[in-house]
Each structure stands twice: as C-alpha cells, then as structure tokens.
C-alpha cells in the first residue's frame, strides 16, 4: 500500500515541475531523461505482458509519445519534454 500511495501521489508532485519547465521552454535532463524513462517503462510493459499483469495501456501510450520525442532528437531532455511533444500548436 505505501508503494501504491507513492505512485498515486507522483503526478501531483511532478505536474507543477513539468508545467514550469514547459512554460520556460527548458527541459534539462540533469536527473533523468526521456530515453532512460522510456527504457524503464518498456521493462514494465514487457514484465506486465509476460506475467499477464495489469493492463499496460497507459504506459504503451506514454511510450509512444516518448519514442516520438526521442525520434525528434529530444532523448536527452527531461521527461517534461513530452509536454511540448504532445502540445497542439
């Protein structure tokens, strides 16, 4: 249960940080980056499929956006880069 609470509370802590970085137009990959987070998400998706675990649909969608950012040359940017990747002009 503590692990689940931590996961559930994560978006509330990260969204303000991502929004601030997106508004500033800077996505420093100083702590982690799109490529590393995508690799971690891929492992979770594969483990979920192998063990018939929880539906990984949300992670699959996140991976698609992350791969797009990587293909656009932003793999070393912070995960906040995905805000710009999905932003409608």
């Amino acid at each position: 249960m503590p692990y689940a609470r931590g996961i559930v509370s994560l978006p509330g802590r990260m969204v303000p940080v991502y929004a601030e970085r997106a508004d500033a137009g800077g996505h420093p990959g100083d702590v982690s980056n799109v490529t590393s987070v995508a690799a971690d998400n891929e492992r979770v998706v594969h483990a979920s499929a192998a063990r018939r675990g929880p539906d990984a649909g949300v992670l699959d969608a996140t991976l698609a956006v992350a791969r797009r950012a990587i293909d656009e040359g932003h793999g070393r940017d912070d995960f906040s880069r995905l805000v710009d990747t999905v932003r409608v002009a």
Side-chain angles (χ1 to χ4, degrees):
M1 192 53 127
Y3 179 72
R5 284 187 185 125
I7 294 295
V8 169
S9 69
L10 189 59
R13 295 190 314 258
M14 296 309 301
V15 167
V17 173
Y18 290 172
E20 183 178 312
R21 289 180 176 183
D23 289 345
H27 306 281
D30 51 346
V31 176
S32 69
N33 60 49
V34 175
T35 301
S36 66
V37 174
D40 290 340
N41 284 351
E42 284 182 13
R43 284 190 280 280
V44 172
V45 168
H46 289 291
S48 178
R51 296 187 179 120
R52 295 188 183 146
D55 184 303
V58 172
L59 281 180
D60 284 331
T62 304
L63 274 171
V65 175
R67 287 182 186 125
R68 190 167 121 206
I70 292 166
D71 290 347
E72 292 172 357
H74 303 294
R76 291 181 169 221
D77 290 353
D78 182 77
F79 208 64
S80 60
R81 167 59 71 182
L82 300 189
V83 173
D84 291 341
T85 303
V86 298
R87 186 176 288 185
V88 177

